[in-house]
């Protein structure tokens, strides 16, 4: 949200970024108009906000480039500026804005999400190395996907093909951000009980977007995400739980359903005397027959849920990071 000083020298707002872009397009604001980002307390010219650069270019008759990516930033200076501001994350606003954004861009968002979903699902059917490949390309694919959402939030053009943008820039850093976050969070979940892994999974939620959007090095992005989210950790967790509620409920249903079916079979196996290889194989086949359709159900619900959830996450990201100036190196 923003406040502005109008041509009559009066203060207006708070208004949304979309309202600002519309007023720019209508010629009511220019690059020299004074704007204040909510919570900053600092008045700056509109041209100092990178999220409105394309709208100002369009106003001057220059077309913004499709899938434009901001220039690299000075990591130290920009990180210090970002952490120096009071973080705000309003769950209801993020969810409401995501719903409106999805309604206006449903074909683009669903198509891009389906493409990423299909690739990651296909990796799981690759014998032996499929899981590793999935982890390695996770950050690269989601980096491109996040940029699609961010570009539309900022009024920039985007296309389904931008999903693969991460392969042409920052490939190594995106790959490392996705892989390291997943690896360390999983180690935390399985080796250090649940709480450390849960904390890290939530704290690092903006690592890949920071690499894709601000071109940060992967560890700098992870640290910035962790430090910022730690200050609004419970709000971030609440946003993720609500945004992914269909997936959470389906996951619980799948786990309970499998447990009810598997427990009697395993109990019978444990009390049936000496191990019988053929009987064990039959038990494993029964478990697989039950698990596969339920797992596919969970994947399908994830596909339907992702466009809305990613929009909410990116609005939270924009509120925490996007309205800050990003000085070039």
């Amino acid at each position: 949200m923003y406040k502005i000083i109008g041509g009559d020298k009066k203060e207006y707002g708070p208004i949304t970024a979309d309202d600002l872009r519309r007023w720019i397009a209508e010629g009511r604001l220019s690059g020299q108009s004074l704007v204040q980002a909510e919570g900053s307390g600092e008045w700056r010219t509109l041209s100092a906000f990178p999220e409105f650069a394309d709208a100002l270019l369009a106003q001057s008759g220059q077309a913004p480039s499709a899938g434009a990516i901001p220039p690299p930033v000075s990591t130290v200076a920009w990180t210090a500026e970002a952490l120096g501001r009071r973080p705000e994350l309003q769950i209801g606003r993020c969810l409401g804005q995501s719903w409106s954004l999805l309604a206006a861009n449903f074909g683009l968002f669903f198509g891009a999400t389906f493409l990423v979903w299909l690739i990651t699902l296909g990796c799981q059917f690759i014998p032996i190395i499929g899981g590793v490949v999935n982890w390695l390309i996770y950050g690269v694919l989601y980096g491109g996907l996040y940029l699609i959402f961010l570009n539309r939030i900022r009024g920039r053009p985007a296309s389904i093909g931008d999903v693969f943008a991460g392969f042409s820039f920052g490939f190594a850093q995106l790959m490392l951000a996705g892989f390291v976050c997943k690896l360390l969070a999983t180690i935390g979940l399985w080796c250090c009980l649940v709480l450390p892994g849960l904390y890290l999974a939530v704290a690092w939620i903006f690592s890949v977007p920071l690499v894709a959007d601000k071109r940060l090095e992967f560890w700098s992005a992870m640290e910035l995400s962790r430090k910022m989210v730690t200050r609004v950790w419970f709000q971030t967790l609440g946003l993720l739980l609500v945004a992914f509620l269909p997936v959470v409920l389906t996951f619980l249903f799948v786990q309970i359903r499998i447990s009810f079916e598997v427990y009697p079979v395993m109990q019978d196996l444990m009390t049936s005397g000496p191990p019988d290889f053929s009987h064990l194989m039959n038990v494993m086949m029964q478990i697989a027959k039950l698990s596969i359709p339920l797992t596919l159900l969970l994947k399908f619900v994830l596909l339907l849920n992702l466009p809305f959830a990613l929009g909410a996450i990116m609005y939270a990201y924009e509120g925490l990071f996007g309205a800050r100036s990003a000085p070039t190196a």
Side-chain angles (χ1 to χ4, degrees), residues 58-193:
Q59 184 188 63
S60 64
Q62 303 178 50
S65 57
I69 298 168
V73 302
S74 171
T75 301
V76 176
W78 186 78
T79 298
E81 181 185 358
L83 292 175
R85 302 195 180 201
R86 181 169 59 91
E88 292 186 5
L89 196 161
Q90 299 183 24
I91 296 175
R93 178 180 295 171
C94 292
L95 296 173
Q97 290 175 323
S98 178
W99 184 260
S100 299
L101 186 71
L102 178 61
N105 300 273
F106 180 80
L108 171 64
F109 289 168
F110 184 80
T113 303
F114 176 75
L115 188 56
V116 172
W117 176 87
L118 189 64
I119 293 172
T120 54
L121 181 64
C123 287
Q124 298 180 20
F125 290 95
I126 301 176
I128 304 176
I129 64 170
V132 177
V133 172
N134 191 17
W135 276 34
L136 289 175
I137 66 173
Y138 167 82
V140 184
L141 290 175
Y142 272 84
L145 189 57
Y146 285 134
L147 282 179
I148 291 175
F149 281 82
L150 283 174
N151 281 334
R152 295 309 302 138
I153 288 173
R154 296 167 180 173
R156 297 172 178 168
S159 66
I160 293 177
D162 292 338
V163 162
F164 302 108
F167 288 93
S168 60
F169 79 92
F171 173 83
Q173 297 301 325
L174 287 169
M175 180 184 68
L176 286 170
F179 182 81
V180 174
C181 287
K182 274 181 167 288
L183 178 63
L184 296 183
T186 301
I187 291 174
L189 283 170
W190 291 104
C191 299
C192 308
L193 302 180

Side-chain angles (χ1 to χ4, degrees), residues 1-5 11-12 20 32-52 77-78 80-82 84-86 323-327:
M1 303 296 289
Y2 303 85
K3 295 180 181 179
I4 68 165
I5 300 295
E11 182 178 313
Y12 295 90
L20 267 175
Q32 300 306 309
S33 300
L34 292 178
V35 179
Q36 181 186 99
E38 188 177 37
S40 71
E42 176 188 1
W43 290 97
R44 293 186 290 155
T45 60
L46 186 56
S47 60
F49 290 82
E51 59 267 36
F52 301 115
W78 186 78
E81 181 185 358
R85 302 195 180 201
R86 181 169 59 91
R324 293 160 171 77
S325 62

Side-chain angles (χ1 to χ4, degrees), residues 230-282:
T230 296
R231 298 156 68 184
V232 286
W233 191 88
F234 287 101
Q235 295 96 311
T236 307
L237 175 63
L239 174 66
L240 293 175
L241 288 176
V242 177
F244 283 102
L245 187 59
V247 172
V248 172
L249 295 178
T250 305
F251 175 79
L252 294 175
F253 166 75
V254 168
Q255 295 304 310
I256 293 172
R257 182 77 174 84
I258 291 177
S259 298
F260 272 115
E261 294 293 333
V262 170
Y263 179 75
V265 175
M266 296 303 294
Q267 189 177 40
D268 176 65
L269 182 64
M270 296 295 292
T271 59
S272 61
D276 183 345
F277 182 75
S278 62
H279 181 51
L280 178 62
M281 289 300 296
N282 288 333

